[in-house]
Amino acid sequence: VTGSARNNLVFLPNSLMPGGTYAVTLTATANGAMGQATLTIKMNTAPYGGSLAMSYPGYPAPATALDSAISLKAQQWFDDADDMPLTYEFSYLEEGSAEATPNPLGSKSTSKSLTWNGPSAANYTVGVEVADRFNTSAFVSLLLVVNPIVLDDAKTEEVLEKMSSFADEGDTGAGVQVVDGTGRTLNS
């Protein structure tokens, strides 16, 4: 805190416990008269209790590049009623990558599930950040292993049909995921 000789009060980051309740009392004296006010502050807590579930055909065996649609679902997350709604942002980070920040798999939304279509071959950390309306958040993750695939003529045709189908359905996000996975597969 800033002390008693200043006209403002500042708490150092992380000095107040999440979920804690604090009473701050201000006492002022002027012209021989004293006044006092107390403010009670309850600190916000991050969403809690939840997990991330992953599924795809053949799970828990490794997924197959460009072939597997990875279903991710945030389950059983809780927070105070005043902190609702919760938002979910799914992401991935390739093992061994120089990137330190996870890559989003879509926009932050109130949807508790997401499908990652056709990732390329690699080991990934897939995760979800769950945030309340005050943007206090928690993050959980899982390991995803995706094995390579031979991109022959038949597989190329299948991938092109998948992209076309997503375009016809207006699902540009899924189409972009397949294009990204294909590009990474071709460049590996």
Side-chain angles (χ1 to χ4, degrees):
V1 292
T2 53
S4 61
R6 299 193 183 247
N7 61 1
N8 64 341
L9 178 64
V10 178
F11 293 95
L12 294 173
N14 303 313
S15 63
L16 302 177
M17 295 293 297
T21 301
Y22 298 88
V24 178
T25 301
L26 171 68
T27 304
T29 305
N31 300 328
M34 185 178 88
Q36 191 175 52
T38 300
L39 175 66
T40 301
I41 303 167
K42 182 174 187 315
M43 298 302 296
N44 190 24
T45 57
Y48 61 93
S51 63
L52 175 63
M54 177 170 53
S55 65
Y56 52 85
Y59 182 81
T64 304
L66 301 179
D67 219 18
S68 298
I70 313 300
S71 295
L72 301 171
K73 185 173 182 180
Q75 301 182 128
Q76 300 296 315
W77 286 92
F78 301 98
D79 207 343
D80 297 331
D82 293 342
D83 295 354
M84 299 297 184
L86 298 180
T87 58
Y88 305 86
E89 185 173 28
F90 295 88
S91 61
Y92 72 92
L93 187 61
E94 188 173 336
E95 240 180 53
S97 168
E99 297 176 32
T101 305
N103 300 293
L105 283 168
S107 300
K108 187 182 283 193
S109 77
T110 56
S111 177
K112 296 177 183 182
S113 61
L114 177 130
T115 300
W116 185 12
N117 292 284
S120 61
N123 291 341
Y124 297 97
T125 299
V126 293
V128 62
E129 181 178 29
V130 182
D132 64 21
R133 74 181 185 104
F134 299 107
N135 211 28
T136 303
S137 64
F139 182 82
V140 292
S141 62
L142 297 170
L143 177 65
L144 169 64
V145 176
V146 181
N147 286 338
I149 192 167
V150 175
L151 199 54
D152 59 15
D153 289 344
K155 181 50 70 178
T156 300
E157 184 64 31
E158 183 182 318
V159 169
L160 290 172
E161 286 176 16
K162 194 181 294 186
M163 283 189 254
S164 178
S165 173
F166 287 135
D168 291 345
E169 295 168 6
D171 192 347
T172 55
V176 167
Q177 290 174 355
V178 174
V179 169
D180 178 63
T182 304
R184 289 172 181 265
T185 299
L186 292 171
N187 289 324
S188 63

